[in-house]
Amino acid sequence: MKVLVVGGGGREHALCWAIAASPLLTRLWCAPGNAGIAEVAECVPIGAEAIPALVAFAREHAVDLVVAGPEGPLTLGLADACAAAGIKCFGPSAAAAQLEGSKAFTRAVADAAGAPGARWARFTDPAAARAYIRDQGAPIVVKADGLAAGKGVVVAATIAEADAAIADIMESRIHGDSGATVLVEECLVGQEVSFFALCDGTHAIALGAAQDHKRAFDGDTGPNTGGMGAYSPPPIFTDALRDDVMARIVSPVLSEMARRGTPFRGVLFAGLMITPDGPRLIEFNVRFGDPECQALMVRLRSDLLPALLAACDGELASFDLRWEPLHALVVVMAARGYPGSYSKGSEIRGLERAAQIPGVQVFHAGTARREDGALVATGGRVLGITATGTTLAEAQAAAYAAVDAIDWPGGFCRRDIGWRAL
Ligand code: AMP
Ligand code: GLY
């Protein structure tokens, strides 16, 4: 099989790494990829959101399967364009990708499916939003409806903070048109878990769960980021919770999407709050999490490629995935300054030494090769140092031993990934 993976971050490196191990694979490309991905796939200089160019490449090279990493290309219709060209694509149609593209859509689908979530209301008028906030009281959550690069959510501890969020999002439009509509939600309290299910439009199978660390600094302080580390499986996420989430959230939502004529195929990422009253849905994403994907891929024993194909072909009903009985932990190394402004081009050394530590896999998120062959940082999140162990403590020790073997003065990482579970 010839496969094209779309994207160029740590998640896509982990996907390429897993797909490259498949005996079914004959050729693997990644667009645009990065320096780490180049070790397992042929990188193609096409942007992840250049839909016509991606489809043209896939057609020209007789690609059998396109695998979408990020949500951007999916909300822009990559899967639809592939379908029109007769090419299989792992990932939902643009219509089904609205589960990530629009929070109001998600809440409406979740309510129709009876999936437990936060109490919510939707506003296009700032005054009405402010009145509702007063009525409900704080703490309360204010969200831009559309995509806002993960920055569109304000968990407001006071009414004044919630008012300020309404001003920023709806009136100053700090996220552009994504803020034309806002959702105001009940503030859920508990531990967050990222849960992943592979879906074929009709059937879903559980892929597993992870917990990530969204804040930039130790002790879960500092600004929100795309994720500074993750571990899998989360000790709090029992098999009984998994079965409950599949039965009350994933399966009914899948049925509701099919009933609406927009069946969901791909990986459904449910952001959950594990509350004292059980799991509640916070949001859906229509792709793997990053860095959660890295922690899942190193635990997967089964061949990933047939699983992705079964999802495309509607054949998950009889599918089974095997996992290694291991714990995995990812430490993200980011450029100093991230998630604010940071410089690019600093040199990274010592990755070979890090990769030699038993159980360690280094996934690249934002790297490139300079002309002289040196590895340089090109993004905010730059490396995902991933390790497995028979215990989470062992995985954590291996990951930090690898971090310490890396010589990158321009980077930083959190030193406490996994603290909640240890
Ligand atoms: P989202 O972009 O919807 O994932 O929200 C980003 C983060 O905001 C989540 O990971 C949660 O930590 C927090 N959050 C979102 N909605 C709620 C809610 N209803 N209650 C509490 N926290 C929330
Ligand atoms: N790490 C969370 C995400 O990928 O959205």
Side-chain angles (χ1 to χ4, degrees):
M1 287 199 62
K2 297 183 190 172
V3 178
L4 170 65
V5 173
V6 175
R11 164 184 47 213
E12 289 76 28
H13 190 181
L15 291 172
C16 284
W17 175 81
I19 292 168
S22 173
L24 298 176
L25 186 77
T26 51
R27 204 158 168 197
L28 179 61
W29 293 275
C30 185
N34 63 39
I37 292 173
E39 290 164 15
V40 291
E42 297 170 58
C43 293
V44 186
I46 303 176
E49 299 195 350
I51 310 299
L54 291 168
V55 175
F57 179 90
R59 205 191 257 135
E60 219 170 279
H61 294 81
V63 165
D64 299 295
L65 177 68
V66 173
V67 179
E71 69 281 8
L74 293 166
T75 53
L76 291 170
L78 176 64
D80 310 81
C82 285
I87 301 163
K88 279 182 197 174
C89 178
F90 178 79
S93 65
Q98 283 307 296
L99 278 181
E100 176 160 359
S102 164
K103 294 182 191 299
F105 176 81
T106 300
R107 301 272 24 134
V109 170
D111 284 359
R119 210 168 39 248
W120 66 285
R122 177 177 185 271
F123 299 95
T124 51
D125 171 22
R130 288 196 176 95
Y132 179 79
I133 287 166
R134 262 168 198 65
D135 189 50
Q136 297 289 311
I140 196 150
V141 180
V142 178
K143 302 184 172 184
D145 179 47
L147 290 174
K151 300 188 178 85
V153 176
V154 176
V155 180
T158 62
I159 292 195
E161 266 179 56
D163 279 347
I166 295 292
D168 290 343
I169 296 171
M170 300 191 85
E171 291 165 348
S172 305
R173 291 289 171 94
I174 58 169
H175 307 300
D177 288 344
S178 288
T181 302
V182 298
L183 263 69
V184 181
E185 285 186 5
E186 168 193 4
C187 187
L188 300 172
V189 179
Q191 277 196 49
E192 280 185 72
V193 166
S194 304
F195 177 73
F196 301 90
L198 204 54
C199 303
D200 70 3
T202 313
H203 298 98
I205 59 173
L207 266 177
Q211 276 183 294
D212 82 348
H213 295 259
K214 291 218 167 84
R215 301 299 193 103
F217 308 131
D218 284 23
D220 289 330
T221 60
N224 251 316
T225 72
M228 293 301 290
Y231 51 97
S232 173
I236 65 155
F237 200 71
T238 59
D239 287 355
L241 268 174
R242 175 201 61 206
D243 294 345
D244 191 32
V245 169
M246 287 299 285
R248 291 202 297 147
I249 298 179
V250 174
S251 296
V253 163
L254 211 55
S255 300
E256 173 63 15
M257 290 297 284
R259 193 192 63 75
R260 289 171 175 239
T262 53
F264 186 91
R265 291 186 198 89
V267 61
L268 188 62
F269 167 173
L272 305 171
M273 189 73 84
I274 310 303
T275 75
D277 309 322
R280 314 267 294 271
L281 178 70
I282 298 174
E283 59 155 1
F284 282 125
N285 296 300
V286 299
R287 49 164 177 86
F288 281 102
D290 188 343
E292 291 96 322
C293 182
Q294 293 84 313
L296 289 177
M297 287 304 123
V298 294
R299 291 180 45 235
L300 183 62
R301 178 185 289 176
S302 300
D303 186 349
L304 178 65
L305 199 42
L308 302 181
L309 279 174
C312 294
D313 294 341
E315 286 172 0
L316 280 181
S318 54
F319 210 86
D320 193 28
L321 282 171
R322 309 276 303 273
W323 298 88
E324 302 289 355
L326 293 174
H327 294 260
L329 184 135
V330 189
V331 178
V332 169
M333 296 186 79
R336 281 188 197 285
Y338 173 80
S341 61
Y342 52 84
S343 60
K344 293 186 180 180
S346 57
E347 191 174 338
I348 304 164
R349 295 191 199 85
L351 288 197
E352 302 72 21
R353 238 175 330 168
Q356 275 163 15
I357 293 167
V360 168
Q361 199 62 48
V362 175
F363 293 117
H364 294 223
T367 63
R369 290 273 167 207
R370 212 163 54 192
E371 258 170 42
D372 63 1
L375 188 72
V376 295
T378 58
R381 291 191 295 175
V382 173
L383 298 168
I385 313 304
T386 308
T388 52
T390 52
T391 63
L392 189 59
E394 209 179 288
Q396 189 197 48
Y400 280 113
V403 165
D404 291 337
I406 292 170
D407 173 17
W408 180 32
F412 79 99
C413 69
R414 281 180 57 161
R415 301 294 315 191
D416 65 347
I417 300 303
W419 69 266
R420 203 180 263 111
L422 290 165

